[in-house]
Amino acid sequence: MDKRQAFGSWLSGPRAAAEDMGVDFGYRGQQLGLPESGPGAIAPLGRRFGALFIDWALCLLVSYALLSGRHAQAAGNWALLVFLVLSLLTVGTVGATPGKLLLKLRVIGEGGVRLSLPRAVLRSVLVVLVIPAVVWDRDTRGLHDRLSRSVQIRI
């Protein structure tokens, strides 16, 4: 084996090495019984980040206009609380925040059921803590989704 191949396999990580040995990981969401693409499939990361950006911008706007006394630094702090309330109210009732609705995403429980209120509360609190949201599994579900037994899908 040439040094470039060894270096390249090291950079690719264990998944690429396992795939080179013939291990089939399937597609994202296969273990959850979701389709590979189209409605009901796991939401792509780009759309999820876009929805988060839209929701955060909305929360900053609300907190700046209504809660912070027009102080930019205070608006950022209040926006976190507004984001938590927004997430609780919208994911707990309709299954999607305004950003998710705009980008055609929804949060459901594993098995396709509606997310219960206690699970929506757990998920929202974990999203606000940030760290659980950036630790992903092979289906690109964050720890907040795994612990609340939820999944973001395309609609």
Side-chain angles (χ1 to χ4, degrees):
M1 176 181 273
D2 142 5
K3 287 183 184 180
R4 289 178 302 194
Q5 287 176 328
F7 189 67
S9 68
W10 177 78
L11 285 176
S12 302
R15 181 180 176 124
E19 287 174 342
D20 288 344
M21 292 188 308
V23 176
D24 180 22
F25 287 103
Y27 61 86
R28 292 181 315 129
Q30 185 173 13
Q31 293 178 332
L32 299 168
L34 300 174
E36 187 170 1
S37 61
I42 287 194
L45 288 175
R47 280 194 194 180
R48 289 169 24 194
F49 284 126
L52 181 64
F53 178 78
I54 291 167
D55 292 334
W56 185 250
L58 177 65
C59 292
L60 275 173
L61 182 65
V62 167
S63 65
Y64 183 77
L66 302 177
L67 301 171
S68 70
R70 308 243 189 231
H71 298 293
Q73 187 172 5
N77 295 334
W78 279 107
L80 203 54
L81 179 64
V82 172
F83 184 82
L84 177 64
V85 171
L86 174 77
S87 181
L88 286 171
L89 292 177
T90 58
V91 172
T93 55
V94 295
T97 61
K100 288 182 188 350
L101 286 174
L102 281 172
L103 297 180
K104 298 184 178 174
L105 304 177
R106 175 156 289 137
V107 178
I108 61 170
E110 290 176 350
V113 298
R114 190 173 154 260
L115 199 60
S116 67
L117 188 58
R119 287 173 37 193
V121 168
L122 174 64
R123 183 184 187 281
S124 297
V125 168
L126 291 172
V127 167
V128 169
L129 292 175
V130 177
I131 298 299
V134 296
V135 177
W136 297 338
D137 66 4
R138 58 168 265 189
D139 290 322
T140 63
R141 286 194 319 159
L143 191 55
H144 65 294
D145 281 328
R146 289 188 56 93
L147 292 175
S148 64
R149 295 189 337 259
S150 63
V151 61
Q152 291 185 64
I153 61 166
R154 301 167 81 175
I155 53 174

